[in-house]
């Protein structure tokens, strides 16, 4: 991997254009935080690792993997590829912490155990949570402040979507989709997963929901645990191979982009049969809003405008990774009762970045505050997005600012019209 990294690094010409688009650099103004600074570090990675592996790890992890730099790089440097491989090298050298190892290698590959933990946690979460408002994502946890800080979070669902439905395999003359809900919609925003199912059934599409799907693998990959990423992907491949389907759809932009891009990126690491299956599935993978607009061509009638304003936040993994930005807007513009207003810098990262939010919350919050200010500037009643991780960040920031703005997934708003 070190040698592969060297080959990828050559194309960076040190222009520094990545500075102007990096949300982390925009807050810290540290060259070490921007792509060019990280690439300089990686050029001497072997030496840097032996000198201070933890320091290298921390520098590499101060990145949202948002892809803003890659999208705007004039040399076409494969930045996300570089960062993911570098994280794997670092984790391989210094090892993973016990907590991460347990989660990625023991809990995530066992979906029933994972669901059991979530069920137990949901039953006992009451006394640990303090309601700050009537909004769904407005709970704080004073007891868990050392771990969660003063974040505003939603409650865990009492029962995960996957444990409610088990397996679904419904054929249809209109073709079939495999539904990949993703962990957050499965265990936190269960109603969202339920809504996706209802929307697909409303359009009379055949549905395959594989029993015991596991995490798509992005948390493990982003933490450098390449072994766990491969294992989780293999489990999902075996389950998806049990039925035939025309498209794989997900309401989670991060899952969809991980499947389409990273499964494909690392398909060489799998046996040839699995590698072919990966290519087949990647070609069929779509964000659910894009599937509704492009494939199902759902009715997008113009409607009379109304006073309620809805705006849209572009998730980085949907817009920058998958190039989907028009379709969710088309759905929102067709909503009766709403007037769509574009917020400034709608495609600016919200600052969540998965584990970045966990380990770099002060910077994540500052980046999120810029997003919050942009949302508030168009005075919406609702901000819609297409990624559950972004929803968590938006709920947190809007709730902490006491803004009376609801956060919804585009699919939830679309479902209200059916
Ligand atoms: S990563 Fe791209 S934008 Fe950044 S310094 Fe290198 S060539 Fe320039
Ligand atoms: S992926 Fe995003 S956060 Fe990371 S260096 Fe690039 S622009 Fe900055």
């Amino acid at each position: 991997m070190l040698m592969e990294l060297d080959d990828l690094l050559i194309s960076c010409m040190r222009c520094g254009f990545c500075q102007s688009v990096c949300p982390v650099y925009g807050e810290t103004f540290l060259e070490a935080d921007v792509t060019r600074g990280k690439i300089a570090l990686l050029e001497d990675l072997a030496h840097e690792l032996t000198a201070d592996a933890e320091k290298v790890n921390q520098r590499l992890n101060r990145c949202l993997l948002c892809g803003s730099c890659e999208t705007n790089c004039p040399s076409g440097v494969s930045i996300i590829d570089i960062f993911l491989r570098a994280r794997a090298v670092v984790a391989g050298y210094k090892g993973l912490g016990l907590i991460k190892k347990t989660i990625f290698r023991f809990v995530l590959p066992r979906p029933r155990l994972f669901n059991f933990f979530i069920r137990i946690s949901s039953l006992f979460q009451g006394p640990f949570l303090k309601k700050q408002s009537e909004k769904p994502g407005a709970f704080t946890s004073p007891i868990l402040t050392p771990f969660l800080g003063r974040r505003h979070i939603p409650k865990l669902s009492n029962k995960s979507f996957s444990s409610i439905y088990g397996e679904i395999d419904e054929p249809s003359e209109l073709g079939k989709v495999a539904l990949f809900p993703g962990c957050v919609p499965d265990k936190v925003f269960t109603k969202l997963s339920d809504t996706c199912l209802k929307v697909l059934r409303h359009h009379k599409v055949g549905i395959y929901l594989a029993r015991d799907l596991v995490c798509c693998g992005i948390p493990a990959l982003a933490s450098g645990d390449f072994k766990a990423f491969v294992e989780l992907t293999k489990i999902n491949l075996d389950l998806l191979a049990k039925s035939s389907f025309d498209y794989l759809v997900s309401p989670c932009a991060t899952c969809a982009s991980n499947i389409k891009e990273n499964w494909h990126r690392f398909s060489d690491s799998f046996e040839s049969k699995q590698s072919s299956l990966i290519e087949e599935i990647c070609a069929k993978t779509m964000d659910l809003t894009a599937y509704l607009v492009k494939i199902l061509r759902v009715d997008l009638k113009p409607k009379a405008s109304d006073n309620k304003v809805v705006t849209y936040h572009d998730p980085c993994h949907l817009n920058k990774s998958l190039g989907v930005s028009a379709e969710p807007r088309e759905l929102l513009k067709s909503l009766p009762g709403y007037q769509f207003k574009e917020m400034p810098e709608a495609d600016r990262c919200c600052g969540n970045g998965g584990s970045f939010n966990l380990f770099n919350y002060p910077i994540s919050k500052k980046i999120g505050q810029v997003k919050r200010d942009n949302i508030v500037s168009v005075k919406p009643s609702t901000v819609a997005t297409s990624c559950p991780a972004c929803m968590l960040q938006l709920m947190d920031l809007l709730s902490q600012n006491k803004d009376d703005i609801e956060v919804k997934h585009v699919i939830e708003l679309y479902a209200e019209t059916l």
Side-chain angles (χ1 to χ4, degrees):
M1 271 205 176
L2 265 176
M3 286 163 78
E4 283 167 3
L5 256 183
D6 275 348
D7 291 343
L8 291 167
L9 294 174
I10 290 168
S11 47
C12 174
M13 58 180 182
R14 306 281 194 282
C15 64
F17 281 11
C18 38
Q19 275 189 353
S20 61
V21 293
C22 176
V24 178
Y25 179 80
E27 294 301 331
T28 66
F29 298 105
L30 294 171
E31 175 70 8
D33 285 340
V34 79
T35 314
R36 185 173 61 179
K38 289 190 171 75
I39 286 181
L41 170 82
L42 296 176
E43 283 182 330
D44 203 9
L45 184 57
H47 175 253
E48 296 282 353
L49 272 179
T50 48
D52 190 344
E54 186 46 41
K55 196 171 155 201
V56 176
N57 190 39
Q58 281 178 11
R59 271 184 66 179
L60 279 180
N61 285 332
R62 275 165 73 99
C63 167
L64 294 147
L65 296 176
C66 67
S68 305
C69 47
E70 183 166 307
T71 313
N72 291 284
C73 172
S75 298
V77 180
S78 305
I79 297 169
I80 298 300
D81 203 353
I82 290 173
F83 288 166
L84 291 174
R85 286 175 198 274
R87 288 182 184 198
V89 170
V90 175
Y93 178 79
K94 71 179 273 297
L96 279 176
L98 184 64
I99 295 178
K100 281 188 177 177
K101 221 175 193 171
T102 309
I103 293 174
F104 299 149
R105 298 188 185 181
F106 189 73
V107 179
L108 294 188
R110 293 171 176 80
R112 293 184 194 198
L113 179 70
F114 190 13
N115 277 338
F116 175 73
F117 283 147
I118 296 293
R119 175 100 178 112
I120 297 294
S121 308
S122 75
L123 290 175
F124 294 101
Q125 65 187 331
F128 294 94
L129 297 175
K130 195 169 164 200
K131 198 175 184 180
Q132 299 296 330
S133 78
E134 291 308 312
K135 294 273 182 297
F139 291 90
T140 52
S141 180
I143 295 174
L144 297 177
T145 301
F147 306 105
L148 293 175
R150 299 192 186 282
R151 285 176 181 81
H152 287 205
I153 52 172
K155 270 182 160 179
L156 288 169
S157 292
N158 288 340
K159 214 168 174 199
S160 67
F161 173 76
S162 53
S163 51
I164 295 170
Y165 287 96
E167 184 182 81
I168 298 172
D169 201 351
E170 301 168 349
S172 160
E173 286 174 0
L174 296 178
K176 201 200 280 182
V177 298
L179 177 61
F180 195 98
C183 296
V184 180
D186 186 58
K187 295 164 204 337
V188 182
F189 300 130
T190 307
K191 275 190 192 155
L192 166 62
S193 302
D194 212 29
T195 303
C196 296
L197 192 61
K198 283 181 181 150
V199 167
L200 291 169
R201 280 180 172 160
H202 172 87
H203 289 294
K204 302 189 173 13
V205 183
I207 300 164
Y208 176 48
L209 176 70
R211 187 187 297 278
D212 293 337
L213 278 173
V214 296
C215 165
C216 71
I218 186 64
L221 184 64
S223 297
D225 192 350
F226 196 70
K227 188 178 168 193
F229 166 75
V230 169
E231 283 312 308
L232 291 166
T233 306
K234 279 183 184 170
I235 296 172
N236 281 326
L237 287 173
D238 288 345
L239 295 169
L240 291 169
K242 287 184 180 174
S243 187
S244 59
F245 51 88
D246 305 295
Y247 295 95
L248 182 147
V249 295
S250 178
C252 175
T254 304
C255 293
S257 78
N258 182 48
I259 293 171
K260 207 166 177 67
E261 300 216 302
N262 293 328
W263 286 19
H264 164 72
R265 196 191 308 276
F266 297 109
S267 67
D268 287 357
S269 308
F270 296 79
E271 289 166 11
S272 68
K273 205 173 149 200
Q274 285 174 326
S275 179
S276 318
L277 185 57
I278 285 178
E279 296 308 334
E280 199 188 304
I281 290 174
C282 289
K284 292 176 180 175
T285 300
M286 290 187 89
D287 164 69
L288 183 51
T289 62
Y291 172 75
L292 292 175
V293 174
K294 277 184 160 169
I295 308 298
L296 285 190
R297 297 180 185 278
V298 295
D299 198 8
L300 298 173
K301 281 194 191 123
K303 41 83 198 174
S305 65
D306 197 289
N307 287 336
K308 277 206 291 183
V309 171
V310 62
T311 190
Y312 178 69
H313 159 68
D314 284 291
C316 295
H317 289 141
L318 195 60
N319 179 19
K320 294 170 189 116
S321 303
L322 300 181
V324 175
S325 62
E327 296 86 345
R329 285 177 170 78
E330 282 179 48
L331 287 174
L332 293 175
K333 284 175 186 170
S334 75
L335 294 177
Y338 285 95
Q339 178 195 353
F340 178 77
K341 259 195 193 171
E342 199 73 67
M343 72 170 93
E345 302 182 289
D347 63 351
R348 196 179 201 279
C349 178
C350 69
N352 181 288
S355 58
F356 180 88
N357 175 281
L358 283 179
F359 299 112
N360 299 281
Y361 187 58
I363 306 175
S364 171
K365 194 174 165 186
K366 278 187 189 169
I367 299 169
Q369 187 65 28
V370 178
K371 175 58 66 179
R372 175 265 169 193
D373 294 346
N374 282 329
I375 294 170
V376 169
S377 73
V378 294
K379 300 186 175 61
S381 63
T382 308
V383 55
T385 189
S386 315
C387 181
C390 298
M391 286 171 72
L392 289 172
Q393 176 82 336
L394 301 183
M395 283 177 169
D396 179 18
L397 267 297
L398 291 168
S399 180
Q400 288 201 44
N401 282 277
K402 299 189 172 32
D403 297 314
D404 188 16
I405 298 171
E406 59 178 2
V407 180
K408 292 237 168 156
H409 194 288
V410 177
I411 295 294
E412 292 177 295
L413 291 168
Y414 172 70
E416 288 172 12
T417 70
L418 301 179

